[in-house]
């Protein structure tokens, strides 16, 4: 990977890292809870990051609950407002293990389970994303599980 191809975008409450591998652009994102949807959209827009790559994979902690789409118990406000924009932008949700939590909160207001670590792609039929695994291993104290996705 060419280190010049890596871009980091930081906002007040958001972070993203963009990189390219072969002909695919990857955006690793972290969206904090309760921020304006226009800030989310700015961070998820690839056009000014790495040029005009057509194949894009967005992945990370979206803090966005999508209810029936992922097998989560609820759809949050971000899910109702940001998901339609993501779909209109040409991306599709890449399913993980339906109903399997990726976040396991242990204390305070963040206790409970949810599915907030998500993958979206516009790869279509030219490429395939599959072999999803949500790992059970402890990631050194993280309250998130590793989501592993194979791309062919």
């Amino acid at each position: 990977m060419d280190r010049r191809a890596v871009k980091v975008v930081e906002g007040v409450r958001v972070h993203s890292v963009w990189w390219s591998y072969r002909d695919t652009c990857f955006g690793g994102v972290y969206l904090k809870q309760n921020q304006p949807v226009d800030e989310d959209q700015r961070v998820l827009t690839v056009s000014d990051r790495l040029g005009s790559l057509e194949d894009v994979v967005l992945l990370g902690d979206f803090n966005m609950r999508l209810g029936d789409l992922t097998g989560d118990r609820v759809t949050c406000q971000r899910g109702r407002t940001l998901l339609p924009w993501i779909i209109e932008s040409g991306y599709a949700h890449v399913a993980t293990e339906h109903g399997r939590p990726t976040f396991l909160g242990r204390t305070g207001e963040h206790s409970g389970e949810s599915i907030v670590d998500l993958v979206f792609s516009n790869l279509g039929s030219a490429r395939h994303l599959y072999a999803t695994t949500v790992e059970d291993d402890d990631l050194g104290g993280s309250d998130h599980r590793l989501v592993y996705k194979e791309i062919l």
Side-chain angles (χ1 to χ4, degrees):
M1 174 173 44
D2 183 354
R3 291 195 179 273
R4 293 171 293 170
V6 176
K7 307 283 184 189
V8 178
V9 178
E10 292 188 46
V12 175
R13 296 178 284 193
V14 296
H15 303 285
S16 64
V17 176
W18 296 84
W19 69 97
S20 60
Y21 180 72
R22 298 190 179 162
D23 292 327
T24 302
C25 177
F26 294 87
V29 302
Y30 170 70
L31 303 179
K32 261 194 141 172
Q33 295 179 11
N34 304 319
Q35 69 186 7
V37 70
D38 61 328
E39 184 71 5
D40 293 339
Q41 291 170 345
R42 183 184 72 80
V43 169
L44 296 175
T45 301
V46 69
S47 62
D48 60 343
R49 304 290 190 272
L50 295 173
S52 60
L53 295 172
E54 292 183 18
D55 294 338
V56 180
V57 176
L58 302 172
L59 59 144
D61 181 355
F62 283 76
N63 277 306
M64 177 169 65
R65 298 179 72 177
L66 301 177
D68 291 339
L69 181 64
T70 60
D72 205 341
R73 294 183 321 275
V74 300
T75 301
C76 68
Q77 180 62 33
R78 178 178 279 154
R80 288 187 291 276
T81 57
L82 187 59
L83 180 62
W85 179 84
I86 291 172
I87 292 169
E88 288 170 13
S89 297
Y91 297 96
H93 174 253
V94 179
T96 57
E97 296 176 56
H98 195 77
R100 182 113 186 256
T102 63
F103 172 81
L104 302 171
R106 298 178 183 114
T107 59
E109 70 177 88
H110 299 294
S111 61
E113 298 180 347
S114 61
I115 302 168
V116 295
D117 301 287
L118 305 168
V119 179
F120 295 92
S121 171
N122 68 355
L123 296 180
S125 61
R127 290 228 175 108
H128 303 281
L129 288 109
Y130 73 100
T132 299
T133 305
V134 179
E135 297 289 342
D136 288 324
D137 296 337
D138 185 340
L139 295 176
S142 175
D143 49 10
H144 291 261
R145 289 182 173 164
L146 175 67
V147 177
Y148 173 81
K149 178 70 69 181
E150 186 174 348
I151 302 173
L152 294 179

